[in-house]
Amino acid sequence: MAAVLRRGSVLRLRLPAPVWLPLRGGGRAICSSAPRHGDSECFTPTLSARLAGLSYPELQQMSREDPDTFWGSIAQERLSWTKPFERVQDCDLDKGQVRWFLGGRLNVSVNCLDVHAQTHPERVALIWERDEPGTEVKVTYRELLESTCRLANALRSHGVLKGDRVAIYMPVSPLAVAAMLACARIGAVHTVVFAGFSSEALAGRIQDAQCKVVVTCNQAVRGGRAIDLKTTVDAAVRTCSSVKHVFVAQRTSSPAPKGDLDVPLEEAMGRESADCPPEPMDSEDPLFMLYTSGSTGKPKGIVHTQAGYLLYAALTHQCVFGYRPGDVFGCMADIGWITGHSYVVYGPLCNGATSVLFESTPTYPDPGRYWEVVERLGINQFYGAPTALRLLLKYDESWVTRYDRSSLRTLGSVGEPINHEAWEWFHRVVGDGRCPLVDTWWQTETGGVCIAPHPAEDGAPIVPAMAMRPFYGVEPVLLGDKGECLQGPGVRGALCIKKAWPGLARTIYGDHQRYLDAYFKPYPGHYFTGDGAWRSEDGFYQITGRTDDVINISGHRLGTAEIEDALDEHPAVPEAAVIGVPHSIKGEVPFAFLVLKDGEQTQEVILKELRLLVATKIAKYAIPDHFLVVKRLPKTRSGKIMRRILRTVAVGGAGALGDTSTLDDPSVVTEIIAAHLWPVGSLSALCSADMD
């Protein structure tokens, strides 16, 4: 879109030039009152007519003891079916078999668009918060449905059939959402690739999925910079013989290089009808696949199917965040990640919500960007990553308090366990101490939130920096090294889930055996999350980190997340990552990578204080033997620290780093290797000194 968009103006476009959908003026949502800090919402939503009037404990009990009635009644009422399902579930975790709503047929795009366009056509579905503040684009359900249908027809006209795979390599935008929903409408399987991955990473995903089409843009815009996407796609498709067409949209006025496979997307959509009959899909047909890196090997194409995933995303969106009709839901995630799929697109749109698409960065044009957006758009629920929060808390609080945040009712964190300092800042400064803060635990594989403070009984407390309560139908268990079930409070072990739920991924594309080996073989009869957890005296769950991030120090098992949490409490340490490295006597010892704030203290002073802090918070044996100061930590775009890279660098194996394609910025690896080879000052030399 080459034209400069001004807030409050309306851009009406005539086909064949449906560039990024119409612009509508600003406006604010009505502010709602919020519960006290520490309290759950005094509001239990009606999940279905059959479940109406049941309390939270009764709903939780039914979801576990009678899942057919619980999930069956919700699916029957909340989803629009072309053919009713005949059986609620057929699941056997011993075999890794997960099937829900068997015999049913529906279309996901109908549930996200048509049902709302028919009843509330002018309700805003998406607010595209473009990179430049004050130029937001509002898209109604009617407009999004029309664009989705035109794009779906364009795909069909170019040979895309039910079951074909389509790669989407686009920035956050209404057109990217329309591309996802267009695939769902015709039964194609989309795989969204974060528009920041290299051509090699993109090619690997296209090749694995055997994608027939790629949908992209000439450029992306982020943080005031234009990023060429088409050149990346061109380099990728040279090695991808399955690709027959590359649809190219214009995000900026810059011309894109032209290739033999190219189809101008706006022109193609302009030739198509705004009506596209939806393809009836079986409940267990694939909806999308999303690639996620394992600790080793090539990325895994996690496959989610139609009805179960959609229902779970919608229900968790409502119950975890306290969504109410008319709310503006602000999830800051990119659509290239599962959070963007579940809580930017499918969950909110299935519920008829207004969902924010955030194209920019937390610090552009200044560190107040998030909170200026909250004020201008009237956001009611704000869902962000601890990584961004830790970045922002380094700045003066005035960047937050200068903006009106009274519209906020719920705060949420996602991507990794949130440390106490970030939690307190988020709750106290951003939420004025009045908004419940839900620390959510879930994975690409789970499809939606599995453990969070909400839903809960009215007035139930929220423990800071703790995921706490399992969602309806999710039964977590803690298992020991020998697979034994660890009973009672005050225990820690491998976090597993003993019964299937509708949102659980069904397979890894093209490699079902890898799916079975990764998630069901380690602890037969259970879904193995790969994470460790601790159960408190009150029965709440605290995620302690990946089980491969558990260090065995002289026989003491300790999660790296616990050490990191202690280090993060130091005011000079906004971020820390801890991994285990071999030790000839102790077996393993902790190695801490630190990001430090600029300040008056020397590194030597900070180190001594950190050693004392860890000893006080945990124990002397938990004090890291090694500290290394780095500028940044290696993170995926969703904010997760890629600890295997740190582990490889720490043991001197930088030449075998493995897959780094999911890193937000791969250049960070070079910085860390350099810091390890030439540590600043005498910090590393002090690390192995015994503490008095």
Side-chain angles (χ1 to χ4, degrees):
M1 180 181 290
V4 176
L5 300 177
R6 298 183 184 277
R7 186 181 175 205
S9 63
V10 178
L11 179 63
R12 290 299 183 185
L13 301 169
R14 294 183 180 179
L15 294 168
V19 186
W20 299 94
L21 303 172
L23 171 67
R24 293 183 176 269
R28 299 207 32 204
I30 298 174
C31 301
S32 303
S33 60
R36 304 185 309 271
H37 162 47
D39 287 354
S40 292
E41 292 241 70
C42 300
F43 163 70
T44 300
T46 299
L47 306 185
S48 72
R50 187 168 182 179
L51 305 180
L54 296 181
S55 65
Y56 167 76
E58 291 170 330
L59 290 170
Q60 189 64 268
Q61 182 178 3
M62 175 180 282
S63 72
R64 295 184 176 192
E65 297 180 0
D66 188 4
D68 282 21
T69 298
F70 181 85
W71 292 111
S73 65
I74 297 172
Q76 200 170 42
E77 292 186 29
R78 294 175 70 115
L79 298 183
S80 177
W81 300 86
T82 56
K83 179 179 178 294
F85 55 89
E86 300 163 359
R87 184 178 179 185
V88 175
Q89 62 165 316
D90 179 19
C91 302
D92 185 347
L93 294 190
D94 282 308
K95 301 177 182 178
Q97 176 177 295
V98 182
R99 298 194 296 170
W100 285 84
F101 311 118
L102 286 78
R105 298 180 76 81
L106 80 173
N107 187 278
V108 165
S109 79
V110 169
N111 280 271
C112 290
L113 298 176
D114 300 61
V115 294
H116 309 303
Q118 290 167 6
T119 55
H120 305 284
E122 299 309 310
R123 176 185 293 169
V124 175
L126 304 173
I127 305 178
W128 182 25
E129 177 57 24
R130 288 158 35 95
D131 191 55
E132 192 59 37
T135 62
E136 71 272 17
V137 175
K138 294 191 175 183
V139 182
T140 68
Y141 274 92
R142 174 184 58 78
E143 292 164 340
L144 184 56
L145 174 59
E146 290 176 0
S147 291
T148 295
C149 286
R150 292 184 189 278
L151 209 160
N153 283 329
L155 292 174
R156 273 180 172 164
S157 296
H158 287 78
V160 179
L161 305 174
K162 177 181 177 180
D164 286 341
R165 276 76 62 204
V166 174
I168 300 172
Y169 187 74
M170 304 179 79
V172 176
S173 62
L175 198 54
V177 175
M180 296 168 69
L181 294 169
C183 291
R185 197 162 192 88
I186 64 175
V189 181
H190 66 70
T191 178
V192 182
V193 181
F194 168 61
F197 280 166
S198 67
S199 60
E200 183 178 344
L202 175 60
R205 288 155 173 77
I206 293 172
Q207 291 165 357
D208 186 75
Q210 286 294 288
C211 294
K212 196 171 187 177
V213 161
V214 178
V215 185
T216 190
C217 299
N218 64 330
Q219 292 183 314
V221 182
R222 185 172 171 83
R225 297 186 302 114
I227 305 155
D228 290 331
L229 299 186
K230 180 56 166 50
T231 52
T232 300
V233 172
D234 287 345
V237 299
R238 290 191 192 106
T239 61
C240 302
S241 59
S242 64
V243 175
K244 306 304 178 187
H245 301 288
V246 176
F247 287 91
V248 185
Q250 291 293 126
R251 172 60 183 89
T252 68
S253 59
S254 178
K258 297 187 182 299
D260 295 338
L261 303 179
D262 293 357
V263 178
L265 181 56
E266 288 89 354
E267 292 181 17
M269 291 173 64
R271 293 190 293 266
E272 300 294 342
S273 168
D275 178 46
C276 177
E279 184 75 26
M281 303 296 292
D282 186 87
S283 293
E284 285 299 313
D285 282 337
L287 173 62
F288 67 85
M289 65 177 83
L290 193 58
Y291 283 86
T292 179
S293 286
S295 56
T296 59
K298 69 177 184 179
K300 302 173 288 188
I302 302 298
V303 176
H304 281 286
T305 54
Q306 308 275 331
Y309 166 80
L310 182 65
L311 182 70
Y312 195 75
L315 195 67
T316 49
H317 169 253
Q318 178 187 14
C319 296
V320 173
F321 301 101
Y323 166 75
R324 302 171 185 171
D327 283 351
V328 176
F329 188 78
C331 176
M332 300 296 106
D334 192 285
I335 58 166
W337 311 103
I338 188 62
T339 304
H341 282 56
S342 297
Y343 300 116
V344 174
V345 181
Y346 288 112
L349 294 184
C350 186
N351 286 333
T354 296
S355 183
V356 175
L357 303 173
F358 187 73
E359 183 184 36
S360 192
T361 72
T363 56
Y364 180 76
D366 57 53
R369 179 62 185 274
Y370 273 170
W371 324 122
E372 187 273 334
V373 170
V374 168
E375 177 183 300
R376 176 160 42 85
L377 303 185
I379 291 175
N380 303 112
Q381 295 90 10
F382 183 92
Y383 196 28
T387 297
L389 300 176
R390 287 193 292 267
L391 170 66
L392 295 174
L393 67 80
K394 296 192 297 182
Y395 296 95
D396 191 86
E397 292 181 3
S398 64
W399 285 110
V400 181
T401 57
R402 68 183 62 181
Y403 297 107
D404 180 5
R405 303 165 322 284
S406 59
S407 61
L408 289 173
R409 282 206 322 274
T410 304
L411 304 176
S413 67
V414 61
E416 57 180 312
I418 186 171
N419 58 299
H420 280 273
E421 183 186 12
W423 195 100
E424 292 292 346
W425 178 86
F426 197 21
H427 173 261
R428 177 181 59 83
V429 180
V430 176
D432 287 328
R434 61 178 178 78
C435 297
L437 200 171
V438 291
D439 174 19
T440 61
W441 175 87
W442 59 297
Q443 304 170 314
T444 301
E445 294 86 346
T446 71
V449 174
C450 284
I451 305 178
H454 286 174
E457 295 181 76
D458 290 351
I462 292 178
V463 179
M466 184 181 253
M468 299 185 70
R469 302 177 179 92
F471 191 72
Y472 297 124
V474 175
E475 294 190 57
V477 292
L478 300 182
L479 302 182
D481 292 338
K482 299 179 181 179
E484 73 278 16
C485 184
L486 304 176
Q487 303 287 348
V491 297
R492 67 187 67 228
L495 177 63
C496 298
I497 302 175
K498 67 179 183 179
K499 289 184 180 179
W501 63 100
L504 182 58
R506 304 306 197 249
T507 190
I508 292 173
Y509 183 76
D511 196 348
H512 190 66
Q513 189 59 48
R514 186 181 182 189
Y515 170 77
L516 298 175
D517 292 344
Y519 303 113
F520 302 100
K521 187 176 179 180
Y523 297 94
H526 299 81
Y527 167 76
F528 173 47
T529 69
D531 282 335
W534 172 71
R535 189 164 52 231
S536 73
E537 295 297 325
D538 296 311
F540 301 145
Y541 289 88
Q542 174 72 61
I543 308 303
T544 57
R546 299 291 297 174
T547 54
D548 53 8
D549 291 326
V550 173
I551 308 173
N552 195 323
I553 310 168
S554 300
H556 299 285
R557 290 174 58 83
L558 189 65
T560 57
E562 296 175 80
I563 306 175
E564 291 167 2
D565 200 47
L567 296 173
D568 285 340
E569 291 193 19
H570 193 286
V573 182
E575 288 189 296
V578 176
I579 50 93
V581 295
H583 190 276
S584 59
I585 297 175
K586 300 179 183 179
E588 288 181 293
V589 292
F591 190 124
F593 292 78
L594 305 174
V595 176
L596 300 182
K597 295 179 181 178
D598 293 330
E600 298 179 358
Q601 287 182 305
T602 65
Q603 291 185 1
E604 290 82 0
V605 171
I606 294 172
L607 172 63
K608 291 179 181 179
E609 293 175 351
L610 289 174
R611 292 165 62 84
L612 178 61
L613 188 59
V614 174
T616 303
K617 291 288 183 181
I618 306 174
K620 286 186 177 181
Y621 73 82
I623 298 171
D625 275 36
H626 309 281
F627 287 84
L628 184 65
V629 176
V630 296
K631 296 178 181 178
R632 300 178 292 165
L633 297 174
K635 296 177 183 178
T636 66
R637 181 63 181 82
S638 60
K640 293 184 179 179
I641 298 170
M642 199 173 281
R643 286 174 173 80
R644 66 174 177 81
I645 289 179
L646 298 178
R647 190 175 295 109
T648 301
V649 173
V651 299
L657 291 169
D659 176 32
T660 60
S661 64
T662 56
L663 284 176
D664 183 29
D665 184 358
S667 68
V668 70
V669 178
T670 304
E671 296 176 6
I672 294 171
I673 293 172
H676 187 245
L677 293 175
W678 300 287
V680 177
S682 57
L683 186 59
S684 293
L686 291 171
C687 293
S688 59
D690 290 332
M691 180 178 171
D692 294 331

